[in-house]
């Protein structure tokens, strides 16, 4: 439980603690703390440069920017798939060790087909709890709960492969929720959805309890779901603020080749 | 595993391998060109070839070691007449990209993998003649298991026959025969695992995408 | 999986400039002539010709070594028993360990043939863009069905490998144990690898159906399947000279080898 | 050259023709005439039911509706990939024969990887012209022209595998343009594009000469590109009109589970 000096902590909530705060690790409400993060592939230009980011528990952070600005790479670093070339990442004050499984973070891939491979929806959802070594009853309970949360009960026995795009995505989400993650990363969740499935996803996310990070080109979607946003361009974070303040800033958006969404235009 | 590299076999065997594979391929292509639309299955065969190539690169941990499946029994079942063309193309890429096998032994390797693949295919289909419920779960499991085990077992047998007989050595015939039998039998555990894996795969395909296993009449 | 073999195809060298069809025939003839070498006295000339061609190709040595390493280990695994088990003439003994002359010579023969054939394969494929090689094969008579399959397999091999890598990543992110972490074999694990492989096959199959539709909509048909746009370059006098030289070398090797085996020293 | 009675023809332009018009087939400016079109797979519910549609040369028609409403099936029928269970389709007064290659119609697939099957960009673009039996010079000229039109000249020698999503899509379009199609069908063209690539596509389409049919969930995109729209639901066309009149009709949109795009809200 090392506590990185550089990760800024807002109001550590150790009021109930009677010991001098200097010698205890303060329990914090920081979900993600990223300091000076850099990433590049050998002999290639930087994909991420000097990223500083702090996300508190319960935050809903939208990430906008063009393809290739580093959004997906940031997600892969956060869940330990890639190894940073420099900098540190902490989730709940514990450093991310590349390759180590952290059930508290779930990543939804852009194409749900990439994460569905079992022969039935319930087998697929049971995949993570089983790998976590839980008992059979616990696994079953989690599967049931994830099915209920996502409204997929009726599809439990179907092969995921036969479902529609929107259903596949909800099943993929259910498969992640069965890990009981505290942080959920959504990579372009609306790219292949029709308007009805998109609206269902918005309502689902508005009620979800996890800390959310959403990378999307669908700016209206981020406006409806997120309470904070960052704008990325060429490997860096170039603006931070509320979604409306960033996307409503016409100069800023045009500078980075984006467009003010219609709902914010006058 | 079960790819003969360059340099081991004498030229006559290499040429013989090309002759067998050439003949089988010629026959396959002739059958294909008789279909109503011969181009229809080209993309299918090509992408499945790529998929089998990629799938056989997955290393599966079976402690203490890890194994790669060759999946030639399944490949024969899925590709039918395209098996030999697919073997040629797939093994060509394995040779030039990751150094499994070689150009001089391409014909031998294709025959070594392709003939057992076709036998496995016909064997897997024979359940249609033998049973009233050829697609019951147990039928697919048992015949899938045997198709996978036969595919690997025959290929391994041919491999050792070719290697042991053609390598210049001072052994007598009896020793060589014993060596071949011993080495092939040493593959029994691998045949069982390959069979189990093939059966699992076929059950999965049967459930999710039956077209893959039964589209030819 | 490292999957490029023509990254040095754009260097310039006499071998690079050799017209692809003639190069294919010329080097293939040498490769098969080398496979036919069975007399030990042919090894030095074989190594010499190989060295000469590799030198002419100006391909980096590190590239060659890198490509030889994996199949080299595999070959050694097969032939390394020969010196200890094969033959009668013991040339060295230490306890139960004996090294026999016939075995050593047999190993040397196999290893040299392997080295030379692999090197020439790398010279052949490494000095020509892969597409050009395929087009050359097509114009030398490779059936259209095989040409199209080769090109399509090549095109989608990378996509499918990437698809697999992404799916494996998704599995690890849901706690699937990687190779190093697993200590005990579980049936469930094998089952999960089976569904992963099955999903890969199904996705490829479905994509092939879409690809076929797209091809038909751009005029692909049975009469003239052609994914290759064959435009072969002009054949110059030096191209013919190279072909003549390599063909006569190949024939020379076969004849000389036959002669030597028939008249033992 | 049968001329379907039911397909209404606007102002046949056979002024230069001296023969009595009753015995000649009048050249018309009808690009697509669909009459009473039905389609279903065996033992499945109808995918398309009694579709009537006429599209004039130069029209830009947007098609909206949820996934599964029949948009993609309609496209596959229009270019002869599928065989109707009932009804007729004429392109330029010539009936569509299933399986017959019609270079005058180009279909852009949702995933460009499905239609970039050759090993290099220029081989891919040359594919259709070669199949059409054109001479080598003509093929080369068409490839060059398609590359110029789509601004992809610099990528001619690259393998499609390494291109970005937006580039792949423009190359796929170039491959279709090399057929010199008069009708282009676009299936969800913006689903995988970032905002910059999407804007580029809008500008490209606004200048293109072909008759366009665009199926998309991106309503703002249709508003910018199309001059007519149809709304499909459960196998039928339920509304026809200008894009603004359909999408601006809040009652209509809500009835079919859609949303009025922000740019049309007051």
């Amino acid at each position: 439980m090392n506590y990185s000096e550089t990760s800024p902590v807002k109001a550590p909530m150790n009021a109930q603690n009677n010991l001098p705060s200097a010698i205890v690790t303060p329990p914090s409400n920081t979900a993600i703390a990223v300091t000076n993060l850099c990433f590049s592939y050998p002999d290639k230009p930087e994909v991420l440069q000097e990223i500083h980011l702090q996300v508190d528990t319960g935050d809903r952070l939208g990430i906008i920017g063009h393809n290739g600005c580093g959004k997906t790479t940031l997600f892969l670093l956060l869940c330990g798939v890639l190894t940073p070339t420099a900098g540190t990442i902490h989730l709940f004050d514990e450093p991310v060790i590349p390759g180590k499984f952290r059930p508290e973070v779930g990543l939804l891939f852009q194409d749900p087909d990439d994460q569905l491979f079992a022969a039935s929806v319930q087998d697929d959802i049971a995949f993570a709890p089983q790998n976590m070594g839980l008992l059979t009853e616990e696994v079953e309970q989690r599967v049931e709960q994830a099915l209920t949360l996502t409204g997929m009960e009726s599809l439990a026995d179907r092969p995921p492969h036969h479902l529609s795009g929107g259903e596949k995505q909800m099943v993929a989400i259910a498969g992640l929720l069965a890990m009981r993650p505290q942080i959920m990363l959504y990579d372009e969740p609306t790219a292949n959805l029709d308007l009805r499935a998109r609206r269902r996803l918005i309502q689902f996310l508005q009620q979800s309890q996890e800390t959310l990070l959403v990378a999307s080109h669908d700016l209206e979607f981020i406006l409806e779901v997120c309470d904070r946003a960052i704008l990325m361009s060429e490997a860096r974070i170039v603006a931070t603020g509320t979604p409306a303040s960033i996307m409503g800033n016409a100069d800023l958006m045009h500078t980075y080749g984006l467009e003010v969404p219609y709902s914010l235009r006058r | 595993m079960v790819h003969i590299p360059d340099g081991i076999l004498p030229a006559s065997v290499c040429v013989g391998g090309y002759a067998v594979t050439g003949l089988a391929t010629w026959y396959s292509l002739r059958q294909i060109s008789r279909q109503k639309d011969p181009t229809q299955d080209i993309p299918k065969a090509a992408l499945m070839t790529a998929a089998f190539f990629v799938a056989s690169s997955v290393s599966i941990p079976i402690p203490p070691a890890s194994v790669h499946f060759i999946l030639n029994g399944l490949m024969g079942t899925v590709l039918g007449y395209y098996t030999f063309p697919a073997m040629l193309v797939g093994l060509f890429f394995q040779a030039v990209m990751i150094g499994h096998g070689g150009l001089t032994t391409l014909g031998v390797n294709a025959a070594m993998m392709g003939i057992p693949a076709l036998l496995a295919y016909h064997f897997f289909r024979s359940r249609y003649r033998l049973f009233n419920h050829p697609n019951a779960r147990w039928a697919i499991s048992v015949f899938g298991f045997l198709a996978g085990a036969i595919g690997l077992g025959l290929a391994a047998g041919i491999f050792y026959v070719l290697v042991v007989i053609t390598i210049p050595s001072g052994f007598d015939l009896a020793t060589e025969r014993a060596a071949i039998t011993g080495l092939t039998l040493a593959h029994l555990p691998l045949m069982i695992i390959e069979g189990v894996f093939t059966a699992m795969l076929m059950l999965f395909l049967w459930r999710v995408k039956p077209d893959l296993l039964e589209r030819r009449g | 999986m490292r999957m490029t073999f023509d990254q040095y195809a754009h260097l310039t060298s006499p071998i690079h400039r050799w017209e692809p069809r003639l190069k294919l025939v010329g080097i293939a003839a040498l490769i098969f002539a080398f496979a036919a070498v069975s007399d030990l006295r042919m090894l030095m000339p074989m190594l010499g010709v190989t060295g000469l061609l590799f030198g002419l190709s100006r391909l980096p040595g590190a590239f060659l070594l890198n490509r030889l390493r994996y199949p080299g280990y595999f070959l050694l695994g097969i032939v390394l028993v020969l010196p200890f088990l094969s033959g009668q003439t013991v040339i060295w003994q230490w306890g139960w360990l004996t090294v026999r002359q016939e075995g050593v010579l047999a190993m040397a023969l196999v290893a040299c043939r392997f080295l030379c054939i692999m090197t020439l394969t790398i010279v052949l494929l490494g000095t020509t863009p892969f597409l050009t090689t395929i087009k050359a094969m097509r114009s030398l008579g490779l059936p259209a069905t095989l040409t199209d399959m080769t090109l399509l397999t090549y095109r989608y091999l990378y996509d499918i490998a990437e698809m697999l890598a992404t799916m494996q990543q998704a599995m690890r992110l849901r706690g699937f144990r990687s190779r190093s972490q697993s200590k005990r074999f579980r049936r469930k694990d094998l089952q999960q690898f089976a569904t992963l492989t099955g999903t890969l096959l199904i996705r490829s199959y479905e994509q092939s159906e879409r690809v076929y539709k797209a091809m038909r909509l751009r005029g692909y048909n049975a009469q003239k399947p052609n994914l290759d746009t064959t435009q072969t370059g002009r054949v110059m006098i030096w191209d013919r000279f190279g072909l003549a030289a390599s063909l006569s070398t190949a024939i020379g090797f076969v004849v000389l080898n036959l002669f030597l085996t028939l008249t033992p020293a």
Side-chain angles (χ1 to χ4, degrees), chain A, chain B, chain C:
Chain A
M1 274 284 186
N2 96 24
Y3 199 72
S4 165
E5 273 193 326
T6 41
S7 87
V9 182
K10 287 204 255 175
M13 304 186 298
N14 56 342
Q16 80 285 21
N17 202 315
N18 294 322
L19 293 163
S21 72
I23 58 164
V24 285
T25 308
S28 86
N29 63 351
T30 306
I32 303 174
V34 171
T35 321
N36 191 31
L37 183 69
C38 300
F39 182 81
S40 64
Y41 293 97
D43 309 321
K44 293 271 167 66
E46 298 278 324
V47 187
L48 287 177
Q49 250 180 326
E50 293 165 36
I51 301 289
H52 290 264
L53 181 66
Q54 192 196 331
V55 182
D56 288 347
T57 310
D59 269 6
R60 294 144 175 274
L61 179 72
I63 307 178
I64 60 176
H66 292 302
N67 287 342
C69 74
K71 294 178 302 212
T72 303
T73 308
L74 178 62
F75 280 1
L76 293 177
L77 284 161
L78 286 179
C79 49
V81 171
L82 297 174
T83 309
T85 35
T88 58
I89 307 172
H90 288 75
L91 302 184
F92 301 107
D93 301 338
E94 203 181 320
V96 170
I97 297 163
K100 193 180 160 222
F101 172 46
R102 292 283 292 263
E104 63 264 46
V105 52
L107 168 62
L108 187 81
F109 285 61
Q110 196 169 338
D111 184 351
D113 279 328
D114 285 334
Q115 55 192 148
L116 300 174
F117 42 78
S120 77
V121 166
Q122 57 189 347
D123 285 359
D124 208 285
I125 300 175
F127 180 76
Q130 276 170 346
N131 286 327
M132 291 161 73
L134 302 177
L135 297 174
T136 314
E137 303 89 76
E138 170 83 6
V139 171
E140 275 168 17
Q141 194 198 323
R142 286 199 176 194
V143 170
E144 210 162 301
Q145 201 174 28
L147 282 170
T148 316
L149 267 169
T150 49
M152 294 285 113
E153 297 97 327
S154 59
L155 305 176
D157 292 318
R158 298 264 298 276
H161 197 77
H162 296 174
L163 306 180
S164 76
E167 288 165 345
K168 279 184 185 170
Q169 192 165 43
M170 287 317 280
V171 173
I173 293 175
L176 298 172
L177 292 183
M179 305 192 295
R180 302 262 165 90
Q182 292 165 279
I183 301 170
M184 286 282 282
L185 313 174
Y186 288 87
D187 195 2
E188 294 295 344
T190 60
N192 295 297
L193 300 185
D194 63 18
L195 286 170
R196 194 155 44 187
R198 175 178 174 276
R199 176 56 53 196
R200 209 178 297 135
L201 182 66
I202 291 175
Q203 284 159 354
F204 175 80
L205 290 182
Q206 283 170 342
Q207 281 163 27
S208 79
Q209 302 299 314
E210 298 86 19
T211 305
L212 296 184
L213 270 68
V214 184
S216 183
H217 303 311
D218 184 344
L219 303 182
E220 308 283 5
F221 179 78
I222 291 197
L223 276 171
E224 293 202 52
V225 170
C226 300
D227 46 31
R228 233 180 101 204
I230 57 176
L231 168 57
M232 293 184 66
S233 176
E234 291 173 13
R236 289 170 188 278
I237 297 178
V238 293
T240 317
T242 64
S245 72
I246 291 187
M247 298 181 199
N249 183 339
D251 290 344
L252 180 72
M253 294 292 274
H254 289 157
T255 308
Y256 294 103
L258 295 162
E259 296 168 20
V260 175
Y262 279 103
S263 62
L264 296 179
R265 294 186 197 176
R266 262 136 263 170
Chain B
M1 173 65 209
V2 201
H3 291 66
I4 300 178
D6 282 319
I8 285 195
L9 300 180
S12 54
V13 177
C14 296
V15 171
Y18 267 108
V20 171
T21 295
L23 208 65
T25 308
W26 171 80
Y27 178 76
S28 306
L29 293 180
R30 218 176 58 133
Q31 293 297 323
I32 288 165
S33 68
R34 283 186 182 162
Q35 289 169 0
K36 199 173 91 228
D37 181 1
T39 56
Q40 185 176 350
D41 285 333
I42 290 178
K44 213 165 277 181
L47 267 77
M48 294 315 281
T49 303
F52 275 108
F53 178 179
V54 170
S56 69
S57 76
V58 177
S59 93
I60 292 175
I62 299 197
S66 67
V67 299
H68 295 265
F69 293 119
I70 60 170
L71 300 175
N72 62 339
L74 182 65
M75 203 167 163
T77 306
V78 171
L79 290 174
Y81 281 127
Y82 275 95
T83 302
F84 259 92
M87 285 291 175
L88 260 182
V89 173
L91 291 171
F92 173 71
F93 281 113
Q94 296 208 337
V96 302
M97 281 183 168
I98 53 179
H100 281 276
L103 286 193
T104 56
T105 51
L106 183 58
V108 174
N109 283 330
M112 183 175 83
M113 303 282 264
I115 292 169
L118 283 180
L119 287 176
Y121 160 60
H122 286 292
F123 179 76
F124 188 69
R125 291 191 61 81
S126 71
R127 70 189 201 291
Y128 282 106
R129 286 194 310 274
L130 296 172
F131 304 109
N132 290 331
H133 301 287
N135 295 325
R137 212 182 136 79
W138 69 267
I140 292 182
S141 307
V142 170
F143 278 70
F145 171 83
L146 291 172
I150 290 172
L152 174 68
L154 275 181
I158 298 174
F159 177 87
Y160 287 115
V161 167
L162 288 174
V163 169
V164 172
I165 285 189
T166 59
I167 273 190
S169 70
F171 301 135
D172 57 29
L173 207 64
T175 321
E176 288 192 335
R177 200 175 293 154
I180 292 167
T181 318
L183 287 166
T184 309
L185 283 181
H187 275 70
L188 262 179
L190 285 179
M191 282 168 66
I192 291 172
I193 297 172
E194 175 101 19
V196 170
F197 189 77
T198 306
M200 286 173 164
L201 244 170
M202 285 190 172
L203 280 175
F204 177 78
L205 295 178
W206 188 258
R207 174 165 179 169
V208 180
K209 192 84 186 170
D211 309 16
L212 261 168
L213 295 182
E214 67 155 10
R215 76 204 136 84
R216 278 165 308 275
Chain C
M1 213 184 313
R2 177 183 37 95
M3 299 206 296
T4 51
F5 48 91
D6 61 355
Q7 67 262 48
Y8 294 108
H10 296 285
L11 303 179
T12 49
S13 82
I15 309 283
H16 282 82
R17 279 193 297 271
W18 198 358
E19 202 276 332
R21 282 173 301 172
L22 303 195
K23 173 163 48 173
L24 192 64
V25 174
I27 296 185
L30 280 174
I31 285 177
F32 279 92
F34 287 178
V37 165
S38 60
D39 191 284
L40 290 167
R41 283 163 290 180
M42 300 298 292
L43 294 189
M44 285 319 286
M46 181 167 80
L47 289 168
V49 171
T50 306
L52 177 72
L53 279 170
F54 183 73
L56 278 175
S57 77
R58 296 198 192 137
L59 291 172
F63 172 62
L64 176 68
L65 286 180
N66 195 12
R67 305 228 39 116
L68 284 177
R69 190 175 301 134
Y70 173 79
Y73 288 144
F74 184 69
L75 182 92
L76 279 184
I78 296 178
V79 298
L80 210 58
V81 296
L82 285 176
F84 307 107
L85 296 178
S86 166
Q88 285 86 40
T89 322
V90 174
I91 52 175
W92 189 71
Q93 187 152 23
W94 188 67
W96 51 271
L97 199 66
T98 46
V99 175
R100 298 158 204 266
Q101 187 183 353
E102 291 86 346
V104 171
L105 294 178
M107 186 176 81
L109 177 68
V110 169
C112 281
R113 282 201 307 225
F114 164 80
L115 181 71
C116 293
I117 293 173
M118 280 298 288
T119 306
L120 286 191
T121 304
I122 290 160
V123 169
L124 172 62
L125 294 169
T127 57
T128 321
F130 180 65
L131 280 187
T132 313
T133 306
I134 296 299
K135 288 170 186 174
M137 288 180 175
R138 170 81 184 115
S139 65
L140 288 170
L142 188 72
T145 305
L146 279 181
T147 313
D148 284 2
M149 271 184 69
T150 309
L151 289 168
L152 280 170
T153 304
Y154 181 65
R155 161 67 179 90
Y156 287 103
L157 200 50
Y158 300 93
D159 279 9
I160 292 173
E162 222 168 80
M163 195 194 283
L164 175 72
T166 311
M167 288 198 289
Q168 284 181 307
Q169 215 168 63
M171 285 173 86
R172 280 195 292 273
L173 287 176
R174 283 163 73 196
F176 194 67
R177 299 170 308 161
S178 70
R179 208 165 133 191
S180 54
Q181 287 166 322
S182 57
K183 294 180 189 68
R184 207 164 52 83
F185 173 67
R186 295 186 309 173
R187 193 175 177 279
K188 192 82 197 159
D189 290 347
L190 198 61
Q191 178 76 50
Q192 277 158 353
F193 275 112
T195 58
L196 171 72
T197 310
T199 305
L200 187 78
L201 294 178
I202 292 172
R203 289 179 72 184
S204 309
Y205 178 82
E206 288 179 344
Q207 180 164 27
S208 79
E209 289 177 328
R210 297 192 299 270
V211 168
Y212 178 64
K213 263 181 214 151
M215 291 173 75
R216 284 302 299 264
L217 288 175
R218 279 159 71 199
Y220 190 65
N221 65 43
Q223 277 68 53
K224 40 176 180 26
N226 65 333
L227 261 172
D228 65 316
T229 59
T230 308
Q231 282 154 12
T232 33
R234 277 183 57 208
V235 178
M236 314 292 270
I237 183 81
W238 286 108
D239 296 320
R240 290 181 202 280
F241 176 75
L243 179 65
S246 52
L247 283 182
S248 36
T249 311
I251 293 168
F253 265 81
V254 173
V255 171
L256 194 60
N257 185 69
L258 196 67
F259 179 72
L260 287 173
T261 36
L262 290 177
T263 56

